[in-house]
Amino acid sequence: MSSTGTSGLNIHLQNRGQLTSLSWLDSTSGPKNAPTWTSICKINGIERGRGTGTHKHIARNNAANVALAYLNGFESGVNKSSA
């Protein structure tokens, strides 16, 4: 079983010697008692995933899953033309 979310993305990048290429941009919107977090996952400064959630870790996990899907598709040749 493969890892998902931020831990899966960290493992994926670490295995390729690219962990330092990962950065995050986090923001909130809505009321302070019920914020919506938005996290943008960047790899080498390029947005590769965006996610939202009621907590920052949920938004980051959602963004990381989008980034992982992109990276896994890229490595299998699915996203070659869009890189």
Side-chain angles (χ1 to χ4, degrees):
M1 183 169 88
S2 64
S3 296
T4 60
T6 54
S7 63
L9 181 60
N10 286 339
I11 290 167
H12 180 94
L13 293 173
Q14 188 172 15
N15 287 341
R16 287 152 183 80
Q18 297 178 333
L19 189 56
T20 59
S21 67
L22 176 63
S23 62
W24 295 96
L25 180 60
D26 302 303
S27 62
T28 60
S29 61
K32 289 187 184 240
N33 65 333
T36 297
W37 283 88
T38 300
S39 293
I40 298 172
C41 174
K42 293 185 175 187
I43 300 172
N44 291 321
I46 301 169
E47 181 178 332
R48 294 297 184 206
R50 184 181 292 245
T52 60
T54 54
H55 298 281
K56 183 164 76 170
H57 72 276
I58 294 171
R60 280 191 174 194
N61 280 336
N62 290 336
N65 284 331
V66 172
L68 270 172
Y70 171 83
L71 293 172
N72 288 330
F74 181 77
E75 289 175 356
S76 69
V78 173
N79 294 323
K80 277 191 175 179
S81 64
S82 62

